[in-house]
Amino acid sequence: EAGVTQSPTHLIKTRGQQATLRCSPISGHTSVYWYQQALGLGLQFLLWYDEGEERNRGNFPPRFSGRQFPNYSSELNVNALELEDSALYLCASSLGGVETQYFGPGTRLLVL
Amino acid sequence: TQLLEQSPQFLSIQEGENLTVYCNSSSVFSSLQWYRQEPGEGPVLLVTVVTGGEVKKLKRLTFQFGDARKDSSLHITAAQPGDTGLYLCAGQRDDKIIFGKGTRLHILP
């Protein structure tokens, strides 16, 4: 069974640009979670999608947004990139709640 | 505000030694998870604890949830180089999940 996949693996952008990160959940999983893992800050919860709807979001500004498609894959968009957005962005999927989530390998975003 | 404090931040010990890492909070969690993350990979779930006082064992790893469901510990017996990694705890509260910053463990052969 394929695990959670994320693309691209690495992304380099400049300040002010927009970034789009993609996530494909494990087959059958309907929930997708996005996290930011920045140096010194640990893993921070960003967004939770389930059945195509945004269910919850963390303490991030509105320029962090996303969506979940009918096939349960998901996209995270970050607008007006700032240097502090440089981080590893992790996606996780689950079928039965956040306590049984499986993580992908992440997308490393570098903002110059 | 960091709601989940993990200690120590870094730990480097010799193969064969025992160790304990801690995850503490002043908040009550409905459940708590421990993950291990290796460089270039996402975290891998090790265990979920739900009941206060619960103890779970995974081979040489023993996980305990505090009686008040505010803290947890991970004890590793006879550490091996394969145990090297970043150990993260995460607690669930009010439909959100909160991660600690992790303990970076290095086992020397």
Side-chain angles (χ1 to χ4, degrees):
Chain A
E1 179 184 281
V4 177
T5 59
Q6 292 186 244
S7 63
T9 55
H10 295 79
L11 190 57
I12 300 176
K13 294 283 186 179
T14 56
R15 202 168 37 178
Q17 284 189 313
Q18 186 232 12
T20 298
L21 288 62
R22 296 179 178 84
C23 172
S24 291
I26 290 171
S27 177
H29 286 192
T30 60
S31 282
V32 169
Y33 307 85
W34 286 97
Y35 298 87
Q36 182 195 68
Q37 189 174 32
L39 274 175
L41 294 179
L43 256 161
Q44 306 280 325
F45 167 70
L46 262 167
L47 289 159
W48 168 28
Y49 291 96
D50 182 59
E51 297 284 358
E53 300 285 331
E54 181 181 302
R55 301 296 184 185
N56 211 343
R57 67 178 292 132
N59 295 324
F60 281 84
R63 57 191 187 82
F64 287 85
S65 65
R67 54 181 171 165
Q68 187 177 33
F69 299 99
N71 66 354
Y72 302 116
S73 67
S74 178
E75 215 172 67
L76 173 69
N77 295 294
V78 188
N79 292 320
L81 284 165
E82 300 178 2
L83 298 178
E84 305 76 56
D85 297 333
S86 293
L88 179 67
Y89 288 84
L90 291 160
C91 167
S93 76
S94 80
L95 180 59
V98 70
E99 63 273 11
T100 54
Q101 60 186 331
Y102 294 85
F103 282 86
T107 292
R108 190 162 294 280
L109 173 65
L110 178 62
V111 183
L112 302 173
Chain B
T1 303
Q2 181 62 35
L3 295 181
L4 267 176
E5 298 285 345
Q6 289 192 245
S7 61
Q9 281 186 285
F10 302 95
L11 185 58
S12 183
I13 64 169
Q14 290 292 137
E15 180 177 3
E17 292 185 2
N18 301 331
L19 67 107
T20 302
V21 298
Y22 301 92
C23 176
N24 295 304
S25 176
S26 57
S27 303
V28 176
F29 293 101
S30 57
S31 70
L32 190 140
Q33 291 84 46
W34 283 92
Y35 294 83
R36 183 171 72 209
Q37 185 178 20
E38 299 187 36
E41 298 180 14
V44 175
L45 179 65
L46 297 174
V47 77
T48 296
V49 286
V50 178
T51 307
E54 184 176 2
V55 176
K56 282 192 174 179
K57 292 194 175 184
L58 187 66
K59 297 182 181 177
R60 294 175 293 100
L61 279 59
T62 302
F63 305 86
Q64 183 159 11
F65 202 12
D67 290 341
R69 292 185 288 130
K70 293 181 179 181
D71 51 76
S72 181
S73 64
L74 159 58
H75 181 80
I76 300 179
T77 304
Q80 297 177 3
D83 296 327
T84 293
L86 178 67
Y87 287 81
L88 296 162
C89 68
Q92 275 184 268
R93 197 166 72 97
D94 300 332
D95 290 331
K96 286 193 175 160
I97 185 165
I98 300 159
F99 279 81
K101 292 185 181 181
T103 291
R104 192 163 295 280
L105 178 63
H106 186 55
I107 309 300
L108 303 166

PDB file of all heavy atoms in Angstrom, chain A residues 25-38:
ATOM      1  N   PRO A  25      -3.176  11.488  -0.177  1.00  0.00           N
ATOM      2  CA  PRO A  25      -3.309  10.672   1.035  1.00  0.00           C
ATOM      3  C   PRO A  25      -3.232   9.179   0.717  1.00  0.00           C
ATOM      4  O   PRO A  25      -3.273   8.778  -0.440  1.00  0.00           O
ATOM      5  CB  PRO A  25      -4.699  11.045   1.549  1.00  0.00           C
ATOM      6  CG  PRO A  25      -5.463  11.392   0.312  1.00  0.00           C
ATOM      7  CD  PRO A  25      -4.468  12.040  -0.607  1.00  0.00           C
ATOM      8  N   ILE A  26      -3.140   8.410   1.757  1.00  0.00           N
ATOM      9  CA  ILE A  26      -3.230   6.956   1.618  1.00  0.00           C
ATOM     10  C   ILE A  26      -4.618   6.622   1.072  1.00  0.00           C
ATOM     11  O   ILE A  26      -5.621   7.246   1.465  1.00  0.00           O
ATOM     12  CB  ILE A  26      -2.991   6.272   2.977  1.00  0.00           C
ATOM     13  CG1 ILE A  26      -1.531   6.434   3.382  1.00  0.00           C
ATOM     14  CG2 ILE A  26      -3.384   4.800   2.941  1.00  0.00           C
ATOM     15  CD1 ILE A  26      -1.212   5.982   4.793  1.00  0.00           C
ATOM     16  N   SER A  27      -4.669   5.663   0.161  1.00  0.00           N
ATOM     17  CA  SER A  27      -5.938   5.283  -0.445  1.00  0.00           C
ATOM     18  C   SER A  27      -6.965   4.920   0.627  1.00  0.00           C
ATOM     19  O   SER A  27      -6.696   4.129   1.535  1.00  0.00           O
ATOM     20  CB  SER A  27      -5.704   4.077  -1.363  1.00  0.00           C
ATOM     21  OG  SER A  27      -6.921   3.644  -1.923  1.00  0.00           O
ATOM     22  N   GLY A  28      -8.136   5.550   0.531  1.00  0.00           N
ATOM     23  CA  GLY A  28      -9.189   5.286   1.504  1.00  0.00           C
ATOM     24  C   GLY A  28      -9.260   6.297   2.629  1.00  0.00           C
ATOM     25  O   GLY A  28     -10.263   6.369   3.348  1.00  0.00           O
ATOM     26  N   HIS A  29      -8.176   7.059   2.821  1.00  0.00           N
ATOM     27  CA  HIS A  29      -8.192   8.083   3.869  1.00  0.00           C
ATOM     28  C   HIS A  29      -8.908   9.321   3.367  1.00  0.00           C
ATOM     29  O   HIS A  29      -8.677   9.770   2.256  1.00  0.00           O
ATOM     30  CB  HIS A  29      -6.768   8.442   4.276  1.00  0.00           C
ATOM     31  CG  HIS A  29      -6.104   7.399   5.109  1.00  0.00           C
ATOM     32  ND1 HIS A  29      -4.909   7.626   5.775  1.00  0.00           N
ATOM     33  CD2 HIS A  29      -6.469   6.133   5.419  1.00  0.00           C
ATOM     34  CE1 HIS A  29      -4.566   6.530   6.443  1.00  0.00           C
ATOM     35  NE2 HIS A  29      -5.497   5.624   6.231  1.00  0.00           N
ATOM     36  N   THR A  30      -9.773   9.882   4.217  1.00  0.00           N
ATOM     37  CA  THR A  30     -10.563  11.039   3.801  1.00  0.00           C
ATOM     38  C   THR A  30     -10.083  12.341   4.439  1.00  0.00           C
ATOM     39  O   THR A  30     -10.456  13.417   3.995  1.00  0.00           O
ATOM     40  CB  THR A  30     -12.040  10.829   4.159  1.00  0.00           C
ATOM     41  OG1 THR A  30     -12.147  10.648   5.586  1.00  0.00           O
ATOM     42  CG2 THR A  30     -12.607   9.605   3.457  1.00  0.00           C
ATOM     43  N   SER A  31      -9.289  12.237   5.480  1.00  0.00           N
ATOM     44  CA  SER A  31      -8.792  13.439   6.167  1.00  0.00           C
ATOM     45  C   SER A  31      -7.350  13.721   5.783  1.00  0.00           C
ATOM     46  O   SER A  31      -6.526  12.801   5.701  1.00  0.00           O
ATOM     47  CB  SER A  31      -8.859  13.265   7.684  1.00  0.00           C
ATOM     48  OG  SER A  31     -10.159  13.439   8.152  1.00  0.00           O
ATOM     49  N   VAL A  32      -7.070  14.995   5.583  1.00  0.00           N
ATOM     50  CA  VAL A  32      -5.706  15.454   5.296  1.00  0.00           C
ATOM     51  C   VAL A  32      -5.374  16.591   6.252  1.00  0.00           C
ATOM     52  O   VAL A  32      -6.193  17.488   6.477  1.00  0.00           O
ATOM     53  CB  VAL A  32      -5.575  15.927   3.837  1.00  0.00           C
ATOM     54  CG1 VAL A  32      -4.243  16.645   3.633  1.00  0.00           C
ATOM     55  CG2 VAL A  32      -5.684  14.749   2.880  1.00  0.00           C
ATOM     56  N   TYR A  33      -4.193  16.514   6.832  1.00  0.00           N
ATOM     57  CA  TYR A  33      -3.718  17.537   7.760  1.00  0.00           C
ATOM     58  C   TYR A  33      -2.436  18.143   7.194  1.00  0.00           C
ATOM     59  O   TYR A  33      -1.599  17.429   6.644  1.00  0.00           O
ATOM     60  CB  TYR A  33      -3.403  16.932   9.132  1.00  0.00           C
ATOM     61  CG  TYR A  33      -4.529  16.131   9.728  1.00  0.00           C
ATOM     62  CD1 TYR A  33      -4.700  14.792   9.390  1.00  0.00           C
ATOM     63  CD2 TYR A  33      -5.422  16.702  10.624  1.00  0.00           C
ATOM     64  CE1 TYR A  33      -5.733  14.044   9.920  1.00  0.00           C
ATOM     65  CE2 TYR A  33      -6.455  15.962  11.167  1.00  0.00           C
ATOM     66  CZ  TYR A  33      -6.609  14.634  10.804  1.00  0.00           C
ATOM     67  OH  TYR A  33      -7.641  13.900  11.337  1.00  0.00           O
ATOM     68  N   TRP A  34      -2.288  19.446   7.361  1.00  0.00           N
ATOM     69  CA  TRP A  34      -1.061  20.129   6.956  1.00  0.00           C
ATOM     70  C   TRP A  34      -0.377  20.705   8.183  1.00  0.00           C
ATOM     71  O   TRP A  34      -1.041  21.266   9.075  1.00  0.00           O
ATOM     72  CB  TRP A  34      -1.365  21.257   5.976  1.00  0.00           C
ATOM     73  CG  TRP A  34      -1.718  20.803   4.595  1.00  0.00           C
ATOM     74  CD1 TRP A  34      -2.969  20.632   4.072  1.00  0.00           C
ATOM     75  CD2 TRP A  34      -0.811  20.483   3.539  1.00  0.00           C
ATOM     76  NE1 TRP A  34      -2.892  20.220   2.761  1.00  0.00           N
ATOM     77  CE2 TRP A  34      -1.578  20.118   2.411  1.00  0.00           C
ATOM     78  CE3 TRP A  34       0.582  20.468   3.429  1.00  0.00           C
ATOM     79  CZ2 TRP A  34      -0.996  19.755   1.186  1.00  0.00           C
ATOM     80  CZ3 TRP A  34       1.168  20.101   2.232  1.00  0.00           C
ATOM     81  CH2 TRP A  34       0.383  19.749   1.117  1.00  0.00           C
ATOM     82  N   TYR A  35       0.956  20.587   8.208  1.00  0.00           N
ATOM     83  CA  TYR A  35       1.756  21.108   9.304  1.00  0.00           C
ATOM     84  C   TYR A  35       2.966  21.849   8.740  1.00  0.00           C
ATOM     85  O   TYR A  35       3.471  21.523   7.670  1.00  0.00           O
ATOM     86  CB  TYR A  35       2.281  19.975  10.191  1.00  0.00           C
ATOM     87  CG  TYR A  35       1.219  19.160  10.873  1.00  0.00           C
ATOM     88  CD1 TYR A  35       0.643  18.066  10.239  1.00  0.00           C
ATOM     89  CD2 TYR A  35       0.800  19.474  12.160  1.00  0.00           C
ATOM     90  CE1 TYR A  35      -0.328  17.311  10.866  1.00  0.00           C
ATOM     91  CE2 TYR A  35      -0.167  18.720  12.802  1.00  0.00           C
ATOM     92  CZ  TYR A  35      -0.721  17.641  12.136  1.00  0.00           C
ATOM     93  OH  TYR A  35      -1.685  16.891  12.766  1.00  0.00           O
ATOM     94  N   GLN A  36       3.434  22.802   9.536  1.00  0.00           N
ATOM     95  CA  GLN A  36       4.684  23.485   9.225  1.00  0.00           C
ATOM     96  C   GLN A  36       5.701  23.110  10.288  1.00  0.00           C
ATOM     97  O   GLN A  36       5.405  23.161  11.483  1.00  0.00           O
ATOM     98  CB  GLN A  36       4.470  25.013   9.246  1.00  0.00           C
ATOM     99  CG  GLN A  36       5.717  25.806   8.895  1.00  0.00           C
ATOM    100  CD  GLN A  36       5.581  27.271   9.267  1.00  0.00           C
ATOM    101  OE1 GLN A  36       5.522  27.625  10.436  1.00  0.00           O
ATOM    102  NE2 GLN A  36       5.549  28.136   8.261  1.00  0.00           N
ATOM    103  N   GLN A  37       6.883  22.685   9.856  1.00  0.00           N
ATOM    104  CA  GLN A  37       7.953  22.358  10.795  1.00  0.00           C
ATOM    105  C   GLN A  37       9.131  23.281  10.488  1.00  0.00           C
ATOM    106  O   GLN A  37       9.918  23.052   9.577  1.00  0.00           O
ATOM    107  CB  GLN A  37       8.365  20.893  10.670  1.00  0.00           C
ATOM    108  CG  GLN A  37       9.327  20.441  11.759  1.00  0.00           C
ATOM    109  CD  GLN A  37       9.609  18.945  11.718  1.00  0.00           C
ATOM    110  OE1 GLN A  37       9.607  18.328  10.653  1.00  0.00           O
ATOM    111  NE2 GLN A  37       9.852  18.335  12.865  1.00  0.00           N
ATOM    112  N   ALA A  38       9.209  24.339  11.274  1.00  0.00           N
ATOM    113  CA  ALA A  38      10.278  25.312  11.094  1.00  0.00           C
ATOM    114  C   ALA A  38      11.323  25.112  12.184  1.00  0.00           C
ATOM    115  O   ALA A  38      11.006  24.672  13.283  1.00  0.00           O
ATOM    116  CB  ALA A  38       9.709  26.731  11.158  1.00  0.00           C
TER     117      ALA A  38
END
